[in-house]
Amino acid sequence: MNELNIIATNSTPMIRTDGASGTLQLAGDSYPEHAFEFFAPLLAWVKQHLAQTDAPLRLELALLYLNTSSVRILMDILDQAEEAFQAGRDVSLTWRYDSDNERVAELAEEFREDCSFPFTIEACETR
């Protein structure tokens, strides 16, 4: 399985994967012009990881802003994670957000309502 190590830009998040530990990290702003093309390798990685390994899936998010297309992609990833969790897979998510950004905290809460796997939301100080 190919690991991802995509450096963040002004409009795209950092993406880093580690198949051995099952860790997927996303951090930064997410409003790519062509979201589905940008996230295609990530969606493929999640699908392949869940299909070809027994490793857990550990989602670690530190997203500052997401546009509508990025929200849809994240929903797809969380749907796959939820399906895997319901099938007995070890899945968890930690979403860290800037304590001054309540909008992201509210978004994380909305996502958490649709997930039955362990989903932690943590405020972080950025000053």
Side-chain angles (χ1 to χ4, degrees), residues 95-114:
W95 190 321
R96 292 176 183 88
Y97 71 97
D98 179 347
S99 61
D100 293 331
N101 190 343
E102 287 301 315
R103 184 177 297 159
V104 172
E106 291 169 6
L107 179 62
E109 287 288 348
E110 288 177 28
F111 277 117
R112 182 164 61 181
E113 290 174 6
D114 295 329

Side-chain angles (χ1 to χ4, degrees), residues 4-6 13-18 22-27 42 45 58-63 96:
L4 302 175
N5 189 12
I6 300 170
M14 175 278 295
I15 300 173
R16 188 172 300 134
T17 62
D18 178 0
T23 304
L24 162 60
Q25 297 174 313
L26 292 172
L42 177 60
W45 185 90
R58 303 273 179 250
L59 304 165
E60 299 177 1
L61 309 181
L63 296 166
R96 292 176 183 88

